[in-house]
Structure formats: C-alpha cells, structure tokens
Amino acid sequence: MQDFFKDYTAIFETKVAWGEMDAALHVNNTVFLRYSESARIEFFRELDFEVHVHNPSRPIGPILAEVYCKYKAPLTYPDTITIASRVDPASIDAYSFWMEQIIFSHKLQRIAAEIRTRIVSYDYIQLKKAPIWEELRVKLMTK
C-alpha cells in the first residue's frame, strides 16, 4: 500500500460513513470532492495557509478555482480511505498552483479516484486574488 503514496507529501485518512452512500449503495460522487476538500484543508493548515477572514491582519488564504475528478472505483461502507496530496511544483505561478490527490480504498486495495485542483491565493477582505508570498512559495516547492 505504501507504494501508492511514495510520491505524495501529505496523507489524510478517514472512514467511509454509511450515510455517504446514495440509492445505488455506493458513496455519492459529490462526497469524493468533500474527502478531497478535507485533505486539502489539513494540508493548508500544515503550511499555515488558512482562511483568516475574521482577522484583517491575515486575510489571505486559499480558494478553489478548478477541480477535476476521475472516478476509478466505487466506494462503499464500511471502508477506510487514504487521501494523498501533493503540489505540482512546475505549476506554481504568481497567484496559483495545482494540487494532485488520490483517494485510496483500503478495502479494495486500489485507487478509487484521482483529483486535480487549482488553488488560488485569495484576499478575503479585498475579494480578489493575491500574490503567493515567498515563504509560502518555498513551502509549496518542497511540500
């Protein structure tokens, strides 16, 4: 299982809940995006790149600009999943970067989804994109 994650820098694990399944008795496609979001938020916390909307001295944080998800296998309850995340260093520009994630099913022992998201550095006070500051850029290059 570890080979699946060797190229990823952040690992987030969670359990599949019964209520996340739909009438077809598999996890609804929108829940995959929620799993991805939860892993991204934890990743951003580690980088101190969080949304501080109520703190005027730290108004800059991430905002999701694009998301692509390739569903590869259905998830069902019960299961434990691992969401592995990484930044594509070549994608980092003045305002944004791309993240790549996989959702791995422990029960199936395979990748259930591949997700690619574009994250923009955003000023939540001025309501516009903001430059990625140098300290964050360095962290993103090595994370």
Side-chain angles (χ1 to χ4, degrees), residues 15-35 71 73-79 81 103 112:
K15 298 212 180 278
V16 172
W18 171 263
E20 293 169 334
M21 292 194 302
D22 58 20
L25 294 179
H26 64 269
V27 171
N28 187 277
N29 64 303
T30 61
V31 177
F32 282 72
L33 300 179
R34 220 171 52 234
Y35 294 149
Y71 301 96
L75 294 174
T76 58
Y77 172 86
D79 198 354
I81 58 170
I103 297 177

Side-chain angles (χ1 to χ4, degrees), residues 43 46-49 87 92 133-143:
F43 181 85
E46 291 175 10
L47 295 176
D48 196 27
F49 184 45
V87 171
I92 301 170
W133 62 94
E134 189 55 32
E135 181 183 343
L136 177 60
R137 180 179 307 286
V138 170
K139 289 179 183 179
L140 290 170
M141 294 294 285
T142 60
K143 191 73 172 144

Side-chain angles (χ1 to χ4, degrees), residues 62-124:
I63 195 165
L64 181 66
E66 298 178 56
V67 63
Y68 301 93
C69 185
K70 181 177 182 180
Y71 301 96
K72 299 180 69 114
L75 294 174
T76 58
Y77 172 86
D79 198 354
T80 299
I81 58 170
T82 299
I83 303 99
S85 305
R86 66 182 174 203
V87 171
D88 175 2
S91 73
I92 301 170
D93 63 27
Y95 297 95
S96 68
F97 58 92
W98 284 90
M99 284 188 72
E100 299 167 344
Q101 296 174 297
I102 56 171
I103 297 177
F104 179 84
S105 163
H106 292 224
K107 181 165 61 175
L108 299 174
Q109 286 296 293
R110 65 175 289 198
I111 295 172
E114 296 171 346
I115 300 167
R116 189 164 161 82
T117 56
R118 187 167 69 90
I119 306 301
V120 173
S121 177
Y122 191 77
D123 186 319
Y124 284 86

